Amino acid sequence: MKAIVAERLTKIYSGEKKALDNASFELSQGEVFGFLGPNGAGKTTAVKLLNGMISPSEGSCHVFGIDPSSSPEKVHAISGVVTEHAQMYGNLTGQENLVFYGTLFGIPKEESLKRALALLERLDLTVAKDKKLTTYSTGMRQRLSLARAMIHTPKILFLDEPTSGLDPESAQSVNNMIKELASDKGTTVFLCTHQLRYAQEVCSSYGLIDDGTLLAVGSLDALRCRIFSGLKVHIKSNRFPEGISFRKTEGQWAEINVQTEDEIPPIVKRIVDAGGNVYEVMANRLSLEEIYFSLIEKRKEQKEVR
Ligand SMILES: Nc1ncnc2c1ncn2[C@@H]1O[C@H](COP(=O)(O)OP(=O)(O)OP(=O)(O)O)[C@@H](O)[C@H]1O
Ligand SMILES: [Mg+2]
């Protein structure tokens, strides 16, 4: 069974423009899906629809076969959600908050405590476990919210910007945890984020959204194919021969696109044969960040033409 199936999912908030427009996508179990897009693109709207916090205006969605708009409680039982405004209690300690939510999910108190302590340890909050939530910093609160979302070992996690307020070390540790959850426990993760470099490290597939419209869905390689699937080669040399289409960039650097790495040695040889010295050669495929900007840019151009 698919973890998520969205079919022509559409949301129009009280007569306004479409916040989500005809979005169709599927997620398999164990996938870490990066949902990417600029501010106001419709990411949080999608998370809310998939959790039954709001209902679709048109189309439908299912989470492990459950329709969240008709059975939100069934979706809540198998999912964990982290949003900016996670409901927790300021006058309870970190540990008490987790145990409270564990028992709310029907987990016996002793087991809830065991899980809470393990999660506090995993998220580096053990020293703060007996402090009241009101004394937590933004990043600590965010990590506790993540622990809260995982107390009932959900099959699927919806994470809306889970690392936005975290320092680089904590963000890295949260990302590692996301990767482990997917690979060891088969947890499916729906991750909304602006942090494209982190996304590229943790996600197995992506959805790119702008202005409510899903621009592309697929693995990094599939997205690359939409733009350029080959390699960008950067070469530093004091001389670039005529007849090869180098693009001069900065100083002694130039770049050239190739389809496969077999094309690189002959290019270097041509430079050397022409009397040039080659100081550095770097080859890389398009990053998620480059793909993102290229697709968003294309979309802008299309909108301007219309
Ligand atoms: N309750 C609401 N009523 C009316 N319009 C809304 C409501 N919530 C969101 N919107 C609008 O829907 C669109 C999508 O918003 P959404 O919060 O889903 O974007 P987002 O991709 O999560 O953005 P961000 O990156 O800023 O979190 C925006 O134009 C927003 O103004
Ligand atoms: Mg949002």
Side-chain angles (χ1 to χ4, degrees):
M1 186 191 290
K2 289 282 175 190
I4 293 179
V5 178
E7 287 172 303
R8 302 170 56 83
L9 192 58
T10 301
K11 180 68 192 179
I12 306 166
Y13 289 107
S14 55
E16 305 225 354
K17 67 179 174 67
K18 289 177 179 170
L20 196 63
D21 189 3
N22 256 312
S24 297
F25 57 93
E26 287 186 356
L27 250 79
S28 297
Q29 188 176 342
E31 244 181 276
V32 180
F33 183 74
F35 203 44
L36 320 169
N39 292 138
K43 303 179 296 295
T44 300
T45 299
V47 169
K48 287 182 177 169
L49 286 165
L50 291 164
N51 279 284
M53 293 180 211
I54 54 176
S55 294
S57 310
E58 287 161 39
S60 67
C61 57
H62 287 85
V63 177
F64 285 99
I66 306 162
D67 181 345
S69 63
S70 58
S71 312
E73 72 294 345
K74 287 190 185 156
V75 172
H76 294 163
I78 57 159
S79 70
V81 191
V82 174
T83 58
E84 302 156 54
H85 313 289
Q87 259 295 297
M88 284 190 294
Y89 295 93
N91 59 345
L92 296 184
T93 67
Q95 178 179 311
E96 286 165 350
N97 265 290
L98 295 185
V99 172
F100 172 76
Y101 280 101
T103 49
L104 214 60
F105 278 109
I107 304 162
K109 201 162 180 185
E110 213 162 291
E111 174 64 19
S112 292
L113 180 61
K114 207 173 114 196
R115 291 187 191 189
L117 291 174
L119 283 166
L120 287 161
E121 173 78 42
R122 184 72 184 82
L123 287 156
D124 221 3
L125 286 170
T126 301
V127 285
K129 74 181 173 59
D130 296 321
K131 295 200 174 117
K132 285 194 173 167
L133 186 65
T134 41
T135 69
Y136 276 36
S137 71
T138 309
M140 288 160 78
R141 194 178 272 263
Q142 214 166 352
R143 279 180 279 149
L144 190 71
S145 158
L146 203 62
R148 189 202 83 148
M150 294 193 300
I151 194 81
H152 58 306
T153 46
K155 281 168 88 166
I156 182 161
L157 265 177
F158 293 93
L159 307 177
D160 198 355
E161 288 289 347
T163 52
S164 60
L166 301 186
D167 62 59
E169 199 186 339
S170 307
Q172 192 64 54
S173 117
V174 166
N175 282 309
N176 289 340
M177 195 180 69
I178 294 171
K179 269 196 262 187
E180 276 168 31
L181 279 173
S183 61
D184 302 351
K185 300 213 169 102
T187 311
T188 309
V189 183
F190 188 95
L191 171 70
C192 300
T193 185
H194 295 120
Q195 294 172 329
L196 302 176
R197 283 190 203 153
Y198 283 137
Q200 188 171 343
E201 279 176 33
V202 294
C203 299
S204 50
S205 65
Y206 304 89
L208 243 89
I209 185 170
D210 186 21
D211 211 8
T213 302
L214 204 53
L215 303 182
V217 185
S219 65
L220 191 56
D221 277 339
L223 296 187
R224 276 193 186 112
C225 287
R226 301 274 297 259
I227 302 160
F228 171 60
S229 60
L231 292 144
K232 199 180 265 181
V233 186
H234 305 266
I235 302 176
K236 186 180 178 189
S237 172
N238 57 347
R239 189 163 176 182
F240 291 96
E242 304 276 306
I244 304 182
S245 50
F246 290 108
R247 287 183 305 279
K248 285 292 189 76
T249 47
E250 273 188 315
Q252 295 188 313
W253 286 95
E255 58 178 41
I256 183 167
N257 289 347
V258 298
Q259 287 304 328
T260 69
E261 58 183 21
D262 292 341
E263 294 170 51
I264 301 171
I267 292 172
V268 174
K269 191 164 184 304
R270 282 277 297 275
I271 298 174
V272 174
D273 287 348
N277 294 323
V278 175
Y279 302 107
E280 272 183 76
V281 180
M282 293 187 301
N284 36 44
R285 295 190 190 278
L286 284 185
S287 67
L288 184 63
E289 206 163 25
E290 288 168 309
I291 294 168
Y292 176 91
F293 284 117
S294 174
L295 286 172
I296 298 283
E297 197 54 40
K298 260 192 204 171
R299 160 101 178 147
K300 248 191 215 156
E301 285 164 16
Q302 282 167 358
K303 274 198 274 187
E304 278 163 12
V305 169
R306 263 190 255 134

